[in-house]
Amino acid sequence: LLPGLTSGREVFDAEAKILAADHHLYRVQINGFAGQPAGPNASGPFLQPVVAELHQYIVSNHLHPAMIGHSLGGLLGLMLAQAHPEDLHKLMIVDSLPFYALVFSPQATVDIVTPQAVAMRDQITSLSDEAYAAQVAQTATYLVKNPDAQKIVAADSRTSNRTVMANAMYEDLTTDLRPGLPVIKTPTTLLYPFDAAAVGPDHSRIDAVYTGAYSSMT
């Protein structure tokens, strides 16, 4: 179980209670997220080293797991399936795109989105603690429906290492995995959200964004 940006392993508590009945679970905690020490994620690249560590753990423990990755965790799962096709038995991607910037525009490219990603990264690291706490609380309310879960997500964000979070978000925004999707042979299930209260009853645009992004996967 691989959580999203700034989230700790506890965000999967409800799912873990269900899955633990007939599965052995590995609940991943990313260094620097949710109060954990930043460790090697304190500086330098984020995504590729995390993927390398996941691969090493799988190999060292002779695993062939099914992976569920949410948001940033889904992107990491895709990267693992691309780089090490033998690692995963199957993959479930929850609310994750192979190129996150597609939520802004279907014409987005890495070159176009990079200045915006830089600005967002720099803004996060420059905010006061009070302003950052207010921002993550507002974001949690927007992204998460369950009030108790909102508190968990906001608390995880507040206690995350802000440099790690900002760098991870920057890499997420500027990583486009679509060219490599055709090589992924791991059986993959995609789950994505739709909120009629926010966007109206017509979900065709949301369908187009997600199914279009993964259209090259067979």
Side-chain angles (χ1 to χ4, degrees), residues 37-188:
N41 292 335
S43 62
F46 174 87
L47 293 175
Q48 290 290 354
V50 172
V51 170
E53 191 168 350
L54 288 168
H55 168 66
Q56 187 58 51
Y57 187 87
I58 288 170
V59 171
S60 297
N61 290 277
H62 309 288
L63 304 177
H64 191 221
M67 177 177 285
I68 300 174
H70 170 241
S71 192
L72 178 69
L75 185 76
L76 290 165
L78 282 174
M79 293 177 69
L80 183 65
Q82 278 188 359
H84 304 285
E86 71 284 358
D87 278 4
L88 299 179
H89 170 56
K90 53 187 174 180
L91 174 65
M92 177 178 284
I93 300 166
V94 183
D95 191 14
S96 184
L97 287 163
F99 183 37
Y100 182 79
L102 293 173
V103 301
F104 304 137
S105 168
Q107 284 78 45
T109 66
V110 172
D111 287 341
I112 289 173
V113 79
T114 294
Q116 184 179 1
V118 170
M120 293 172 68
R121 180 191 63 194
D122 293 348
Q123 181 195 39
I124 288 171
T125 55
S126 65
L127 287 173
S128 68
D129 290 342
E130 293 77 12
Y132 179 69
Q135 183 182 60
V136 299
Q138 182 180 22
T139 301
T141 301
Y142 173 72
L143 293 177
V144 183
K145 292 298 184 183
N146 182 283
D148 292 332
Q150 288 173 8
K151 296 175 184 177
I152 294 172
V153 169
D156 281 353
S157 294
R158 285 196 308 272
T159 58
S160 291
N161 181 295
R162 226 189 297 174
T163 298
V164 176
M165 181 269 190
N167 288 339
M169 184 197 66
Y170 169 81
E171 286 193 40
D172 191 353
L173 283 168
T174 57
T175 296
D176 187 354
L177 298 182
R178 289 176 296 173
L181 291 181
V183 307
I184 295 178
K185 302 307 178 185
T186 305
T188 303

Side-chain angles (χ1 to χ4, degrees), residues 3-4 6-12 28-30 33-34 152 156 160:
T6 76
S7 289
R9 58 170 65 93
E10 78 283 351
V11 297
F12 281 117
V28 177
Q29 174 68 56
I30 301 292
F33 288 175
I152 294 172
D156 281 353
S160 291

